[in-house]
Amino acid sequence: MSATRISRELVMDWRTVKRYLSMSEKEYETFILEQSERKRELEPYESFVKSRLEKYPDTSAAQMQDWLKEHYSDFPAVSSKTVFNFTCWVRQKYQLQKPVNRRDYSMVPETPYGLQAQADFGQYNLRNSLGRQVKVYFFVMVLSRSRYKYVFFSTSNFTTDLSVQAHQQAFIFFEGRPQTVVYDQDRLFLADENHGDLILTEKFRTFTQTAGFALHFCRKSDPQSKGKIENVVKYVKQNFLYNRSFDDIETLNQEALAWLGRTANHLPHGVTRKPPVLEWETEKTYLRPYSVIPVAEQAEGNWYSVRKDNSISYKGNFYSLPQGTYTGKGCSIRLVIQEGLLLAFDQQGTLICTHTLSVGKGHKIINNDHKRSKELKIRALMEQLCNELQEPDMGSRFIDAVQKAKPRYLRDQLMLFKKIIENYTADIVNQSLQYACSNHLNSVTDLQSVAQHLYHQQNSNPPTEAKTIQMNPFSGKMPREALIQPATSSITDYSELF
């Protein structure tokens, strides 16, 4: 190999490698012998180091250096590396190896389906588009049997309220809750271990009592007892977050869900050799049902003004709201962002609509369902419309034909039919229905065209004389405004800017 390759393999300076290569075999043997017999600077302190290592075999080199300074006022000013090398040499010479506390492990049998989940927190530093560092915090939970995972990100450190919200989202994602969840002794959840009589924080105790799952807190400094979730935390950092750029927290949570779907829960697990998503299909039947605590009670959210067209503006996009949300100037709703969704709550904390967050800008996200009246059921609406007609049976036949032809759009068709009844006279509506039934029409849009035609026939009037309006008669003078020249920009200005 070349000197550079050898230096890289042996982690040595390339000049040292070249010096060794220039030696003959005999010169190298002499050099090694001199190295082994060379005088050590700390050799006068050998007996002290030996006695201390015999009495305290687990002593570190840093502590040994402090003892030497304490007992010898003339101890030379040497580097910590010199003391470390000398301590290692004494250990090797007198066979005083540092004791290693080994823990015996044994395989743990697989937990039954639906019995246990493990949860933990993590944090990581990302870079945004400007190259600035952004710290993100995340909550992870994994079902112990299927290894089905969930992760929830936040730009702020987790509080008890935010942790409860993350638990709720995890149980929704799992489509149920396990019997027990395993944790570290985290101050967000546990005020005091109290020799086994766990004292929980007030908010977390209320949540666990409502959700109905048991708690298991690991001993201090014992990460091995929850190895599954420790591996998931490392997996999130090394597989998902490594070299990922940060845009905003909503986008990061959306990307995390996509990663869970294509990688973390899709690829076969290293132990079970089965994809977690397939195992989860079995395990979710063993999970207990979970009743969601209203999100508005757990997330503060931000208040946004409602626009006149029953919509709200959020981060450069417009989202529709149900008709009737706007009640006048000053009307506002609360928005909560969760798992890539935008949740809208009214003043009383009731969820009024849900939208999927748009990644781009300048989009209009409209739910056609918001244009519909929610006050009446379809059957009641059909009966109401028929009762307003001169011939209810004929109206019922027409609505049945519309329902068979357009079952998915029946409510839209009925709302248009209601508008026709309100805007036209009973005679026009009745004539239009007769024409529609006799010609086998099955669309309210066609019915509306017939009603419009009949209305124009009945209300046709002779044309009136055109009214002439004198506008700015010519006076022979140019108005001052006509002489204004608009400002123009030179293309060179833009070139310089670019």
Side-chain angles (χ1 to χ4, degrees):
M1 299 180 183
S2 66
T4 305
R5 176 77 180 276
I6 295 173
S7 65
R8 190 183 304 117
E9 292 289 337
L10 300 180
V11 195
M12 297 172 61
D13 188 85
W14 64 274
R15 298 176 184 85
T16 305
V17 174
K18 290 191 70 174
R19 181 161 56 88
Y20 289 165
L21 289 175
S22 64
M23 295 179 184
S24 64
E25 186 174 350
K26 186 176 181 179
E27 289 173 341
Y28 186 72
E29 289 177 356
T30 304
F31 170 75
I32 293 298
L33 186 61
E34 290 174 353
Q35 290 292 316
S36 61
E37 295 178 355
R38 69 179 181 177
K39 186 177 179 179
R40 288 172 172 79
E41 189 175 1
L42 301 182
E43 198 167 349
Y45 309 98
E46 180 180 344
S47 59
F48 176 83
V49 175
K50 175 177 176 291
S51 62
R52 286 300 174 117
L53 291 178
E54 286 176 343
K55 190 174 182 179
Y56 309 107
D58 58 344
T59 302
S60 65
Q63 189 175 19
M64 184 65 71
Q65 183 176 9
D66 183 67
W67 280 345
L68 288 169
K69 291 179 181 179
E70 182 181 1
H71 288 81
Y72 298 95
S73 58
D74 59 344
F75 186 73
V78 295
S79 66
S80 300
K81 181 64 174 176
T82 302
V83 179
F84 175 80
N85 291 336
F86 183 74
T87 305
C88 292
W89 177 78
V90 173
R91 286 186 184 277
Q92 186 176 4
K93 182 178 179 180
Y94 296 101
Q95 299 298 314
L96 300 173
Q97 300 303 322
K98 194 173 184 178
V100 179
N101 295 325
R102 298 187 180 277
R103 178 178 176 180
D104 293 330
Y105 296 93
S106 59
M107 285 196 302
V108 179
E110 288 290 349
T111 56
Y113 286 112
L115 177 64
Q116 184 192 93
Q118 298 182 6
D120 202 357
F121 297 93
Q123 59 186 33
Y124 198 82
N125 290 322
L126 297 175
R127 296 279 181 182
N128 59 17
S129 58
L130 301 177
R132 297 174 182 172
Q133 195 175 76
V134 179
K135 178 174 283 189
V136 295
Y137 305 85
F138 60 92
F139 166 86
V140 286
M141 183 179 287
V142 59
L143 296 175
S144 296
R145 179 58 184 267
S146 63
R147 273 65 168 191
Y148 198 64
K149 309 164 192 68
Y150 175 75
V151 59
F152 177 84
F153 285 93
S154 171
T155 51
S156 59
N157 211 338
F158 275 85
T159 61
T160 303
D161 288 338
L162 190 57
S163 301
V164 169
Q165 179 185 341
H167 277 77
Q168 289 183 321
Q169 294 304 313
F171 295 156
I172 294 172
F173 186 76
F174 294 150
E175 297 185 12
R177 61 161 181 81
Q179 298 181 30
T180 306
V181 181
V182 180
Y183 303 94
D184 269 335
Q185 293 189 21
D186 198 291
R187 288 296 176 185
L188 293 175
F189 308 139
L190 190 65
D192 191 2
E193 190 178 9
N194 197 27
H195 306 288
D197 295 330
L198 305 177
I199 301 177
L200 303 177
T201 57
E202 181 180 357
K203 292 182 179 179
F204 190 66
R205 183 180 68 251
T206 303
F207 169 68
T208 55
Q209 291 174 351
T210 305
F213 60 90
L215 307 174
H216 177 86
F217 288 93
C218 300
R219 297 279 186 178
K220 292 181 180 179
S221 304
D222 186 24
Q224 292 85 357
S225 58
K226 56 180 187 65
K228 294 184 179 70
I229 194 63
E230 294 289 346
N231 289 331
V232 174
V233 172
K234 182 171 64 175
Y235 190 33
V236 171
K237 291 180 179 180
Q238 296 179 356
N239 191 282
F240 175 65
L241 292 176
Y242 186 68
N243 284 337
R244 182 175 293 274
S245 61
F246 177 83
D247 295 322
D248 53 68
I249 196 62
E250 292 84 5
T251 303
L252 185 63
N253 276 307
Q254 290 179 5
E255 293 173 345
L257 291 176
W259 172 75
L260 290 171
R262 69 174 179 269
T263 301
N265 291 329
H266 178 73
L267 299 179
H269 190 269
V271 175
T272 63
R273 305 297 180 184
K274 299 176 182 178
V277 66
L278 297 182
E279 282 288 275
W280 168 74
E281 291 291 342
T282 302
E283 183 163 20
K284 71 178 180 180
T285 60
Y286 293 86
L287 297 175
R288 297 184 178 181
Y290 173 67
S291 299
V292 180
I293 300 174
V295 180
E297 297 179 9
Q298 301 297 338
E300 295 181 358
N302 295 315
W303 291 93
Y304 288 81
S305 298
V306 180
R307 294 157 51 91
K308 290 182 178 180
D309 56 357
N310 290 293
S311 67
I312 46 110
S313 174
Y314 179 76
K315 289 195 173 181
N317 295 309
F318 297 94
Y319 297 84
S320 66
L321 298 173
Q323 282 190 350
T325 303
Y326 178 78
T327 56
K329 188 175 182 180
C331 176
S332 61
I333 61 170
R334 180 165 54 181
L335 296 184
V336 176
I337 309 303
Q338 272 195 350
E339 202 175 309
L341 297 177
L342 185 144
L343 311 179
F345 297 88
D346 60 13
Q347 299 282 349
Q348 291 73 36
T350 304
L351 180 65
I352 58 176
C353 71
T354 301
H355 283 287
T356 301
L357 275 175
S358 176
V359 179
K361 301 288 185 183
H363 296 162
K364 291 184 178 180
I365 297 86
I366 300 175
N367 186 347
N368 289 329
D369 198 47
H370 291 165
K371 301 178 181 179
R372 300 167 177 165
S373 173
K374 302 292 184 180
E375 297 177 358
L376 299 173
K377 299 293 184 181
I378 291 182
R379 181 56 57 182
L381 181 60
M382 293 168 62
E383 294 178 356
Q384 178 191 1
L385 295 177
C386 291
N387 292 333
E388 294 179 5
L389 300 173
Q390 292 180 349
E391 299 183 31
D393 293 339
M394 183 170 58
S396 179
R397 291 197 306 272
F398 175 72
I399 291 176
D400 289 341
V402 173
Q403 185 175 11
K404 291 179 181 179
K406 298 176 174 59
R408 290 183 56 198
Y409 302 95
L410 178 60
R411 182 182 289 272
D412 292 326
Q413 293 279 308
L414 292 177
M415 295 306 297
L416 180 58
F417 194 12
K418 185 171 184 278
K419 189 179 295 185
I420 294 173
I421 295 175
E422 293 173 352
N423 294 340
Y424 296 97
T425 63
D427 291 337
I428 291 179
V429 173
N430 190 53
Q431 294 177 30
S432 301
L433 276 175
Q434 290 177 350
Y435 180 86
C437 291
S438 61
N439 290 276
H440 306 289
L441 301 181
N442 53 15
S443 171
V444 181
T445 306
D446 295 337
L447 180 71
Q448 185 182 35
S449 300
V450 175
Q452 289 176 349
H453 177 72
L454 295 175
Y455 174 79
H456 289 304
Q457 279 187 338
Q458 295 181 7
N459 295 276
S460 57
N461 296 318
T464 58
E465 293 184 3
K467 184 178 180 181
T468 304
I469 302 176
Q470 297 293 333
M471 297 182 62
N472 190 21
F474 294 106
S475 61
K477 297 181 180 179
M478 291 290 291
R480 183 166 54 87
E481 290 79 1
L483 300 176
I484 296 175
Q485 293 293 329
T488 57
S489 300
S490 173
I491 192 65
T492 57
D493 296 338
Y494 293 101
S495 299
E496 290 176 359
L497 287 174
F498 282 122

